[in-house]
Amino acid sequence: MIVQHLPYLSSKRIVLASQSPRRREILDLLGLKHEVVVSGFEENLDKSTFSHPSEYVLENARCKAEEVAKRFIGSDAPPDLVIGSDTVVILDNKILEKPLSEAEAFSMLKSLSNRNHTVLTSVALFLKDARTCTASFYEATNVSFAELNDNLIWEYIRTREPMDKAGAYGIQGIGGSLVKGVEGCYFNVMGFPMHRFATELARLIDQGAV
């Protein structure tokens, strides 16, 4: 774990290549001082070219982190660590990302009603002056949804919470009331696998890579 490494990490420049407030919150909970540099990667990968959703989500995270890491190559104060991440919901092997409209949010939530789905969150790590990804991984969490009627779905959409969330819900907000159960990492559903990240970062530190 990284608890014993926090004094060491406090002197490192850590950049999160994401504007997600949930990811910032989770890094704060870990006690990691960090800054945000939003990635300019357009997230327009062709899903049909990937044999499994995990490959898609891993590539999204890598591309996000790489775009930010490349900006700092050759700079006077490059980050010691750049973190990229991506979260998707998987239902019937279909990837559900952020809804583009209220109608799409309704369709997503209707499809999740009274069913189980999987949340995949990937992380890609670039170390100082790295031109290639140093480490990448993903975590899968199974989520069980309650049965939702149409009126409840529309009332939830009117809160605006679903509109910037993969799968059109946020477990850490009002959307948590729609969830019957979680099998796996709760923080993974929020958008960042806290335990897995802490384990992988500690491993890199122990190896002298960070």
Side-chain angles (χ1 to χ4, degrees):
M1 298 304 167
I2 65 169
V3 176
Q4 68 272 29
H5 297 301
L6 288 176
Y8 171 76
L9 288 168
S10 67
S11 65
K12 300 297 181 181
R13 187 182 182 191
I14 299 173
V15 168
L16 175 63
S18 171
Q19 62 185 348
S20 165
R22 278 80 60 186
R23 293 183 183 126
R24 291 211 67 175
E25 179 184 353
I26 292 169
L27 290 183
D28 286 340
L29 289 171
L30 279 170
L32 286 182
K33 182 178 67 176
H34 64 282
E35 59 191 275
V36 170
V37 178
V38 178
S39 177
F41 176 64
E42 295 184 3
E43 298 187 54
N44 56 3
L45 298 174
D46 183 356
K47 298 179 181 67
S48 67
T49 63
F50 296 89
S51 61
H52 190 271
S54 62
E55 296 178 3
Y56 170 79
V57 77
L58 282 167
E59 183 64 5
N60 260 332
R62 187 194 66 79
C63 289
K64 289 180 185 180
E66 181 180 51
E67 193 279 330
V68 171
K70 282 184 173 179
R71 295 189 218 171
F72 291 99
I73 291 176
S75 69
D76 293 335
D80 296 284
L81 177 65
V82 176
I83 305 167
S85 186
D86 190 47
T87 300
V88 297
V89 168
I90 309 298
L91 181 70
D92 298 331
N93 289 319
K94 181 180 179 182
I95 297 171
L96 305 182
E97 297 186 277
K98 297 174 183 177
L100 299 178
S101 66
E102 290 188 351
E104 187 173 17
F106 178 88
S107 178
M108 287 184 185
L109 290 164
K110 187 76 171 177
S111 68
L112 295 174
S113 175
N114 203 33
R115 297 191 63 191
N116 297 335
H117 64 270
T118 301
V119 177
L120 297 183
T121 296
S122 59
V123 177
L125 306 177
F126 279 69
L127 299 183
K128 184 182 289 187
D129 285 330
R131 287 169 169 78
T132 58
C133 185
T134 303
S136 65
F137 52 89
Y138 75 92
E139 194 74 13
T141 303
N142 296 320
V143 180
S144 174
F145 245 44
E147 186 170 1
L148 314 178
N149 61 49
D150 290 1
N151 182 62
L152 187 154
I153 293 174
W154 281 117
E155 288 297 325
Y156 179 48
I157 291 171
R158 289 186 187 102
T159 70
R160 307 305 299 168
E161 184 178 271
M163 304 312 298
D164 68 339
K165 310 289 192 305
Y169 77 95
I171 195 171
Q172 74 285 351
I174 304 168
S177 65
L178 312 179
V179 174
K180 291 198 299 184
V182 173
E183 183 183 352
C185 177
Y186 168 86
F187 294 102
N188 194 55
V189 186
M190 275 184 66
F192 200 74
M194 181 192 283
H195 174 75
R196 181 70 183 277
F197 169 75
T199 301
E200 295 289 342
L201 183 54
R203 180 180 61 82
L204 290 173
I205 293 172
D206 291 338
Q207 291 174 351
V210 179

